[in-house]
Amino acid sequence: MKKEPTTLRYIHILGTVVFFSSVSSIVILLALYLNQRLKTSLFLVDDVSSNPLTSHSLPLPPPPPPPHSLPPPLPTPSSFRSSDVTEEEVMGRAVAAPRDTMMNETHPKIAFMFLTRWNLPLSPLWEMFFKGHEGFYSIYVHTSPEFTEEPPASSVFYKKRIPSKTVEWGKSSMMDAEKRLLSHALREPSNARFVLLSETCIPLFNFTTIYTYLTRSTLSFLGSFDDPRRVGRGRYNPKMFPHVSLSDWRKGNQWFEISRRVAAEIVSDRRYYAVFEEHCRAPCYIDEHYLSTLVNKICPEMNSNRTVTWVDWSRGGSHPARKFHVSTLDPLMKLAPYLYGI
């Protein structure tokens, strides 16, 4: 009878040790997860339409080789005159374009697609990012149609605007603009990866690091997750059935980085897009649900189910506070040489 209190004390001590060990392990794992999230983000954007919940993260590639280790760029193929063809023709040619990068190129290109309202206030930062890597990227800019200002002829953004139409946030016109950018970019057979960016997005690594990371990946980076909340499944319209079921329904970040095959699938889709155009109305926002649901339905094996664009959600809300106002350009330019290793 006298040994029972001693036994109970040992049990209590052992239980306390196990409890605090478990708590410590959870804290360590959470810290590692958050650290990995930041490390696997290639771009930082301040204006997104959904909070991306990511799944498994991929490690960063090995340290990038010096710029001179990249193969010498080939001459850029002659671009077509977009104004000479209709939007339907551009879409049709994009659908008919090769779904694999043309093998006659010694290296693939990354298509940087900017969806903007007016000009690009952070363009000097991007100019620094692109400098010295001509032939390894393509640029496409979609602005409001009334904006006709051209940057200087020396700029990498000179004559990179595509024929555009008015875009309204949360409406199908937003998705039309994204498809318009993809259609133009797919016409360049050497474009292998496609990145959608806003005018307030900045690159977090130098060009060689981002180029290596994206071109070596076999998966696309498009957020696609099942959100059981009102802002997720709660936006599903039963009228979409049977084409799109609740089990198909996904939510994701508007900003993506995708492979050529996935880009071709998106531009080719007519069936599911018509369903979303008809039945995805506020509080359903097509740019938050269409791509993530489409990719989940037709090519889930091609997607990593996460994004490489990071945003600070610490202030909450559907749109984070704008961080990269034009006034931030000067301090960003001072940091750029250290950030990009120039």
Side-chain angles (χ1 to χ4, degrees):
M1 296 295 293
K2 294 181 179 180
K3 293 183 179 180
E4 186 173 353
T6 302
T7 302
L8 288 175
R9 281 199 299 272
Y10 282 129
I11 292 174
H12 290 159
I13 292 172
L14 180 60
T16 302
V17 170
V18 171
F19 173 76
F20 282 107
S21 297
S22 300
V23 172
S24 299
S25 298
I26 292 173
V27 171
I28 292 172
L29 289 174
L30 179 60
L32 290 173
Y33 170 76
L34 292 175
N35 182 57
Q36 189 68 10
R37 272 293 309 277
L38 291 175
K39 284 185 176 180
T40 53
S41 298
L42 300 182
F43 303 96
L44 184 61
V45 69
D46 74 319
D47 186 13
V48 299
S49 53
S50 62
N51 186 351
L53 301 180
T54 61
S55 59
H56 301 293
S57 297
L58 298 176
L60 277 175
H68 66 266
S69 67
L70 293 173
L74 293 177
T76 304
S78 300
S79 59
F80 68 100
R81 292 180 60 193
S82 302
S83 59
D84 292 343
V85 294
T86 65
E87 182 167 312
E88 290 72 20
E89 288 176 314
V90 173
M91 290 280 188
R93 294 179 189 181
V95 171
R99 299 204 171 194
D100 291 316
T101 308
M102 295 297 287
M103 297 305 295
N104 61 336
E105 294 284 352
T106 60
H107 56 268
K109 292 180 182 178
I110 297 177
F112 291 86
M113 307 178 301
F114 291 85
L115 181 57
T116 78
R117 300 172 184 83
W118 306 103
N119 62 349
L120 293 167
L122 302 177
S123 60
L125 188 70
W126 283 99
E127 298 268 5
M128 187 179 293
F129 170 78
F130 286 122
K131 187 176 181 180
H133 302 288
E134 294 75 13
F136 290 90
Y137 63 85
S138 304
I139 296 175
Y140 305 86
V141 181
H142 187 293
T143 67
S144 296
E146 59 268 27
F147 181 76
T148 58
E149 180 182 324
E150 278 286 353
S154 58
S155 171
V156 296
F157 295 101
Y158 181 66
K159 292 191 179 298
K160 294 300 190 294
R161 287 186 298 114
I162 68 169
S164 307
K165 293 185 178 180
T166 301
V167 173
E168 295 181 77
W169 180 82
K171 301 292 183 66
S172 60
S173 59
M174 177 74 77
M175 198 61 246
D176 290 336
E178 294 180 22
K179 284 199 170 195
R180 200 171 293 124
L181 281 163
L182 285 171
S183 296
H184 283 264
L186 278 168
R187 295 207 58 215
E188 170 55 69
S190 60
N191 285 336
R193 311 291 297 197
F194 302 76
V195 185
L196 181 66
L197 302 159
S198 77
E199 72 268 29
T200 53
C201 189
I202 66 170
L204 295 180
F205 296 90
N206 63 30
F207 183 90
T208 307
T209 299
I210 291 178
Y211 179 90
T212 302
Y213 189 87
L214 296 182
T215 57
R216 286 183 181 178
S217 176
T218 59
L219 296 174
S220 292
F221 298 97
L222 187 149
S224 178
F225 59 94
D226 181 13
D227 188 345
R229 299 175 300 169
R230 179 178 57 84
V231 295
R233 291 184 195 173
R235 294 176 177 175
Y236 172 74
N237 187 339
K239 293 181 179 180
M240 293 183 171
F241 189 83
H243 301 292
V244 178
S245 67
L246 181 59
S247 61
D248 297 326
W249 191 250
R250 294 294 184 272
K251 185 179 180 179
N253 190 341
Q254 176 185 5
W255 314 107
F256 58 74
E257 189 287 322
I258 56 179
S259 68
R260 187 175 182 89
R261 283 182 173 271
V262 172
E265 292 288 351
I266 292 171
V267 172
S268 301
D269 174 59
R270 297 290 184 272
R271 177 184 179 186
Y272 298 111
Y273 191 48
V275 174
F276 272 82
E277 278 189 304
E278 184 175 359
H279 299 300
C280 183
R281 305 292 175 87
C284 175
Y285 303 107
I286 193 168
D287 54 287
E288 294 185 20
H289 295 281
Y290 168 65
L291 288 184
S292 52
T293 300
L294 176 69
V295 171
N296 177 60
K297 279 189 68 69
I298 65 176
C299 54
E301 73 285 353
M302 298 183 187
N303 190 30
S304 66
N305 289 337
R306 70 177 183 86
T307 179
V308 289
T309 304
W310 187 85
V311 62
D312 180 10
W313 285 94
S314 61
R315 298 188 181 185
S318 59
H319 288 269
R322 295 192 176 280
K323 298 183 294 297
F324 300 117
H325 186 268
V326 64
S327 61
T328 64
L329 180 59
D330 286 341
L332 285 173
M333 291 296 288
K334 292 177 182 178
L335 289 172
Y338 303 97
L339 186 63
Y340 304 145
I342 299 175

